[in-house]
Amino acid sequence: MPSGSETTPEAATAPPTAVGTPGAAATGRPGRAVRLARLARREAARTALAAVGGTALALAFPPYDLWPLSVLAVAALALLTRGRTARQGAWTGFALALPFFFLLLRWLHVVGYDAVLGLAVVEALFVAALGAALAVTSRLPAWPLWGACLWIAQEWARDRVPFGGFPWGRLAFANTGSPFTPLAALGGAPLVTFAAALSGGLLAYAAVAAVRLRSGAGGLRAVLPGAGAVALAAAVTAAGFAVPVPTKGDDSVDIAIIQGNVEKPGMDFLGRPLMVLDNHVSATLKLARDIREGKTKKPDLVIWPENSSDLDPFQYTQAYDRIDKAVRAVGVPVLVGALVDHPGKPGFIDNMGIVWDPTTGPGASYAKQHPVPFGEYVPFRQELSKVITRLQRVPRDFYPGDHTGVLQVGPARLGDVICFEVAYDEIVHDTVRAGARALVVQTNNATYGRTGQPEQQLAMSRLRAVEHGRAVVTAATSGISAVVAPDGRVLQRSKEFTQDVITARIPLRDGTTLADRAGAAPEWALAIVGLLSCAAALLIGRRVRPEATEKNMDKKGQQ
């Protein structure tokens, strides 16, 4: 028998293996570290291109507003995942999404860049799943169509989970001033996303056809599909111009928006108690003086922003008296934003819009239905607060409201939507369906001032205006306050971190758009089609592989 120092013939001919890798010697495969290094080298160029695509996609959103880049980014992801395995497609999708969300959500840096990165990673996982699905369906006929449906499925999931979802970064929100925008009146934000994604997929199809033509494959046959794809992409892009967007009101109302301003931007925008409230009271008293002196026409109603009262007026008489004084001075109902102790849940807060009448005082109210996780409430508070001490800066949880924000404010039946709720299709849709004749977005963006976040939120208001055929009024503590026409045009807007009063006449409408009547049906239908296409591609792939194996075995047998 050979001694321990001798080498057997089998060992001499065995391929080298990575030291310390279990099973490597037995299988002859390289170690995991070696395989990962090889994979990284192979995918480096593709990963870099995906990252460039993600950066371009971020520039499509406000404050940059380069919307054509959203279409090109979709095309890039389609090309980079075409013909790849599901695992490779997932990595490419993640590589595109991580820089995209990091740049888009950079306004969260006031909380910490770890928060930016953490949220970007969570959101990028959804696009990783999209990349895997795009790779799988890229072998199907009409793959640009299935890809557009899969974009809807990805946004559908991201809008709902976890903790109620986070819709920031939908393709539709990059296209609030593009030719795709009017399509929102037909199918809401999902149809805008679908059209942008389909146009990008068709451009990718044309690029594949151009490469085939250049290589001499297919001859004239390769020209027609590519040219047809470009023509169809142009037709989809221009389709919005044929959509009528209703703008004529059944009647109108004169409003005034009070932007009181805050002491400073950032997490500590409140300053000393009553400072924010005093700012809004003083601006309202000035408006009342201008009305008495004939400098300004008396409005029918006044709108204050979210958190315009930094103390609960029902618990602090100083706050109640200041609000009541301002409302009586101006002489019309005021929609006041305030944080109020929940009456039935001790320790919880309601983020409310309160109709304050100059004669009868506070009346009807709306409580925010969708509090922001980790901003307005802390999931798993007891466990997470021990690990993440910053969560202690949210001392009490906000309690979700249980009804829509339709409020009678003077002569107008308005739909109140508070801050981030404007990003959620269902909340705005339900508010309009409940009878809102115009929409009000009470918001407080002081924490994220001068970061691009107020511009991103205003873009959502523009899309909602077109989607529902309603004027949208944004009232912000520190800006951007704005008046948006039903066709999405910004008629007036304030500067950030200035005290301002905006007066305007807005139309009130009773009619509904096709998007109002369809509700979430288009989104569900397109998402289901996307998922079915993915299932079909997987099923076809499983059938093809055994047939290919049998053919290879037959060839070997003939040899």
Side-chain angles (χ1 to χ4, degrees), residues 400-419:
D402 57 4
H403 62 270
T404 60
V406 177
L407 300 169
Q408 189 70 37
V409 187
R413 192 167 64 250
L414 304 178
D416 191 13
V417 177
I418 297 180
C419 202

Side-chain angles (χ1 to χ4, degrees), residues 138-165:
S138 66
R139 297 172 179 82
L140 295 176
W143 52 268
L145 175 61
W146 317 132
C149 292
L150 286 167
W151 272 93
I152 298 297
Q154 173 264 143
E155 290 189 355
W156 178 94
R158 200 162 55 79
D159 293 354
R160 290 164 173 82
V161 293
F163 307 119

Side-chain angles (χ1 to χ4, degrees), residues 253-260 280 284 287 299-306 308 330 332-337 354 409 412 414-416 438-443 472-477 481-483 500-502 504 506:
V253 65
D254 291 316
I255 65 164
I257 307 169
I258 304 297
Q259 179 176 300
H280 288 83
T284 305
L287 171 64
D300 297 308
L301 59 97
V302 174
I303 300 169
W304 285 12
E306 177 190 25
S308 49
V330 78
V332 297
V334 178
L335 182 61
V336 177
I354 306 167
V409 187
L414 304 178
D416 191 13
L439 292 169
V440 173
V441 181
Q442 289 183 292
T443 187
V472 178
V473 177
T474 298
T477 50
S481 300
V483 178
D500 200 356
V501 176
I502 295 176
I506 62 170

Side-chain angles (χ1 to χ4, degrees), residues 2-23:
S3 64
S5 61
E6 294 179 335
T7 305
T8 63
E10 293 81 5
T13 58
T17 60
V19 178
T21 304

Side-chain angles (χ1 to χ4, degrees), residues 6 114 123 186 221 239 313 334 366 430 441 457:
E6 294 179 335
D114 55 339
E123 297 299 298
L186 301 181
R221 287 185 176 183
V334 178
Y366 165 69
D430 291 346
V441 181
Q457 191 171 317

Side-chain angles (χ1 to χ4, degrees), residues 51-268:
V52 171
T55 303
L57 183 55
L59 296 177
F61 287 78
Y64 311 103
D65 290 315
L66 303 176
W67 68 263
L69 293 180
S70 65
V71 178
L72 295 179
V74 171
L77 185 59
L79 290 172
L80 291 170
T81 56
R82 178 165 170 75
R84 310 289 286 176
T85 65
R87 184 177 300 179
Q88 291 168 332
W91 171 251
T92 302
F94 185 81
L96 180 142
L98 185 61
F100 162 58
F101 282 113
F102 188 86
L103 293 173
L104 182 75
L105 305 176
R106 196 173 58 85
W107 42 266
L108 265 175
H109 76 271
V110 298
V111 179
Y113 272 103
D114 55 339
V116 181
L117 181 60
L119 184 55
V121 169
V122 171
E123 297 299 298
L125 292 175
F126 290 91
V127 185
L130 169 64
L134 290 174
V136 169
T137 57
S138 66
R139 297 172 179 82
L140 295 176
W143 52 268
L145 175 61
W146 317 132
C149 292
L150 286 167
W151 272 93
I152 298 297
Q154 173 264 143
E155 290 189 355
W156 178 94
R158 200 162 55 79
D159 293 354
R160 290 164 173 82
V161 293
F163 307 119
F166 187 69
W168 238 261
R170 297 169 71 180
L171 290 180
F173 295 152
N175 287 276
T176 60
S178 77
F180 299 113
T181 308
L183 296 173
L186 301 181
L191 187 58
V192 177
T193 287
F194 176 78
L198 180 58
S199 296
L202 289 168
L203 291 181
Y205 186 94
V208 172
V211 170
R212 288 176 179 171
L213 181 64
R214 188 174 180 181
S215 64
L220 183 60
R221 287 185 176 183
V223 176
L224 296 179
V230 172
L232 186 55
V236 171
T237 304
F241 293 117
V243 178
V245 178
T247 58
K248 186 178 180 181
D250 299 295
D251 51 16
S252 60
V253 65
D254 291 316
I255 65 164
I257 307 169
I258 304 297
Q259 179 176 300
N261 202 12
V262 299
E263 183 180 14
K264 59 181 179 180
M267 295 289 289
D268 302 310

